[in-house]
């Protein structure tokens, strides 16, 4: 089955053609990141305007790159939420218009579930269930137990800021450039960690639940801004965030005995997180899945994959953007 998918939940405009949910035939993504760079954060109105301009060229390019024609597409898929309402509407309304014009089914996709399906793309062997998912992005930090396709059980979530949000807010405090997450990672690499003693808190790390809390870390970084170098702060922040994520993941592994563990979301691109979890699970029988970096951040291929494995074609009039969609809604 050939699916043409769209993703416009934040500042990316992405279209992809994907075969049977696992093989990318084309993936084209435009971003308005440079526009937001000078403001140090995403301006929703500017993101939506840029998406309005790029959606048609991006769709054309995705079709051209895969050498597909509308006749060979079986279905369309689109992110309906969560995300910025102006941005979501551009993807949803474009997809509805095309589905109507081409007379194709349209599959609505939850963006968070899309992130999880990055783990089904181009893998020699798909993840086995039950799968424990650590979903960490700019807006979400969740531990999810996936019992089968379409069956997601939320085990825990952040009580305040998401992990990506913490990277971003602290990156800004430290004086790093936007987009901050990757610059924290790069700055941290410049620090010589021999004899390093942790000085930031690891919030909720020892609590018997699967929740996270990252807003306190932001305050702790602010209070330490004048005490340490940018390299040391970046290193310690990355250690603190990844320690919290890993600790709760291990707790969930102990409790639920998953056959596979899946990383998902923009923060899954973080090299230190990837390294720590790889080392920890290397001595176990659990299969670890980590998407390639370009599939961790927002893109339409993951939306096409989620659509294939959770195929649900509903009348066009019922497809609508929902900025507050959750993993279980
Ligand atoms: O999944 P995503 O592209 O968008 C959302 O759905 O939120 O995630 C974006 C988040 C941002 O907070 C960004 O700073 C973070 O992912 N991020 C990283 C890295 N690459 C992206 N955080 C830490 N290290 C990275 N290498
Ligand atoms: Zn995302």
């Amino acid at each position: 089955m050939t699916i043409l998918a769209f993703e416009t939940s934040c500042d990316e405009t992405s279209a992809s053609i994907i075969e049977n949910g696992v093989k990318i035939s084309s993936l084209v993504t435009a971003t308005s990141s440079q526009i937001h760079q000078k403001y140090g954060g995403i301006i929703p109105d500017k993101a939506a305007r840029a998406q309005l301009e790029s959606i048609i060229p991006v769709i054309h390019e995705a079709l051209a790159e895969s050498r597909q024609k509308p006749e060979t597409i079986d279905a369309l898929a689109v992110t309906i939420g969560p995300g910025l309402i102006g941005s979501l509407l551009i993807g949803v309304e474009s997809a509805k218009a095309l589905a109507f014009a081409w007379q194709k089914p349209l599959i609505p996709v939850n963006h968070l579930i899309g992130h999880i399906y990055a783990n089904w793309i181009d893998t020699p062997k798909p993840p086995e269930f039950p799968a424990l998912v650590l979903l960490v992005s700019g807006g979400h930090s969740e531990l999810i137990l996936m019992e089968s396709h379409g069956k997601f059980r939320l085990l825990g979530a952040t009580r305040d800021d998401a992990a990506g949000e913490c990277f971003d807010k602290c990156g800004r405090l430290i004086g790093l450039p936007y987009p901050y997450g990757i610059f924290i990672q790069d700055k941290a690499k410049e620090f010589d960690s021999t004899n390093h003693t942790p000085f930031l808190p690891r919030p909720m790390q020892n609590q018997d639940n699967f929740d996270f809390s990252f807003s306190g870390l932001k305050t702790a970084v602010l209070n330490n801004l004048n005490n340490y170098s940018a390299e040391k702060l970046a290193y310690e922040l990355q250690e603190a965030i990844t320690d919290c994520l890993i600790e709760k993941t291990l707790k969930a592994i102990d409790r639920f005995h998953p056959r596979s563990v899946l990383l998902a979301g923009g923060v899954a691109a973080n090299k230190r997180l990837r390294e720590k979890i790889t080392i920890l699970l290397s001595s176990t029988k659990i299969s670890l899945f980590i998407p390639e970096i370009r599939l961790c951040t927002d893109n339409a291929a993951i939306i096409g994959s989620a659509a294939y494995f959770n195929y649900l074609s509903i009348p066009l009039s019922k497809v609508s953007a929902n900025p507050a969609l959750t993993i279980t809604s």
Side-chain angles (χ1 to χ4, degrees):
M1 170 180 278
T2 305
I3 292 181
L4 168 60
F6 307 124
E7 154 62 42
T8 64
S9 66
C10 195
D11 63 336
E12 274 88 14
T13 311
S14 184
S16 174
I17 293 176
I18 181 159
E19 306 290 342
N20 298 329
V22 296
K23 192 172 176 327
I24 297 175
S25 172
S26 66
L27 173 56
V28 179
T29 304
T31 171
S32 56
S33 175
Q34 337 72 265
I35 299 177
H36 311 299
Q37 210 155 24
K38 63 172 180 267
Y39 302 101
I42 293 169
I43 310 288
D45 181 48
K46 291 193 186 294
R49 278 168 198 268
Q51 284 163 320
L52 203 51
E53 281 174 19
S54 49
I55 185 90
I56 300 292
V58 163
I59 296 171
H60 271 299
E61 212 178 313
L63 281 166
E65 204 179 273
S66 71
R67 297 172 195 277
Q68 297 274 359
K69 296 207 160 35
E71 307 86 74
T72 54
I73 305 282
D74 297 303
L76 304 183
V78 67
T79 300
I80 56 162
L84 304 168
I85 183 64
S87 297
L88 287 168
L89 278 172
I90 289 161
V92 169
E93 295 308 318
S94 305
K96 283 171 82 171
L98 271 184
F100 179 73
W102 293 350
Q103 289 297 297
K104 307 278 179 191
L106 176 61
I107 307 154
V109 176
N110 180 324
H111 177 78
L112 302 173
I113 291 173
H115 273 303
I116 298 174
Y117 277 89
N119 291 289
W120 266 262
I121 299 175
D122 262 338
T123 44
K125 202 166 161 262
E128 287 183 309
F129 300 119
L132 177 69
V133 186
L134 175 63
L135 171 58
V136 272
S137 70
H140 294 82
S141 300
E142 297 177 350
L143 271 167
I144 298 152
L145 192 66
M146 191 176 172
E147 279 144 2
S148 64
H149 289 298
K151 242 181 139 190
F152 306 94
R153 180 168 154 205
L154 184 65
L155 303 179
T158 183
R159 304 243 176 122
D160 40 57
D161 290 354
E165 193 177 355
C166 183
F167 269 113
D168 295 340
K169 287 179 173 167
C170 294
R172 190 175 185 158
L173 284 175
I174 296 171
L176 298 175
Y178 174 91
Y180 308 102
I182 185 136
F183 286 105
I184 294 258
Q185 174 184 294
D186 291 349
K187 202 49 142 184
K189 250 211 232 130
E190 293 171 25
F191 178 66
D192 174 6
S193 60
T194 331
N195 304 326
H196 174 72
T197 311
F199 58 87
L200 289 177
R202 269 62 173 162
M204 297 185 72
Q205 197 187 28
N206 299 318
Q207 290 188 18
D208 191 22
N209 56 41
F210 306 106
D211 289 343
F212 306 101
S213 166
F214 293 108
S215 68
L217 268 175
K218 184 183 56 197
T219 315
V221 166
L222 183 64
N223 291 339
N224 278 293
L225 269 186
N226 298 323
N227 303 340
Y228 302 102
S229 67
E231 292 78 14
K232 188 162 178 161
L233 279 167
Y235 176 84
E236 171 64 2
L237 175 70
Q238 183 172 253
E239 289 307 303
I241 294 176
T242 51
D243 280 350
C244 295
L245 296 174
I246 297 275
E247 188 63 34
K248 291 293 167 88
T249 305
L250 292 179
K251 210 182 269 291
I253 290 173
D254 267 0
R255 179 81 56 90
F256 298 101
H257 310 290
R259 296 176 80 170
S260 27
V261 166
L262 280 48
L263 287 194
V267 178
N270 183 266
K271 290 196 177 132
R272 186 70 177 125
L273 178 63
R274 296 163 85 95
E275 177 184 70
K276 276 185 172 173
I277 196 141
T278 304
I279 294 168
L280 279 167
L281 296 191
S282 62
S283 55
T284 71
K285 286 198 175 126
I286 300 167
S287 322
L288 175 63
F289 289 80
I290 305 181
E292 60 174 284
I293 304 248
R294 72 171 179 146
L295 297 179
C296 288
T297 45
D298 292 351
N299 70 86
I302 59 176
I303 303 307
S305 178
Y308 175 82
F309 288 104
N310 301 272
Y311 195 98
L312 173 73
S313 169
I314 62 172
L316 282 186
S317 59
K318 296 238 161 67
V319 178
S320 58
N322 179 356
L325 202 62
T326 64
I327 199 88
T328 46
S329 55

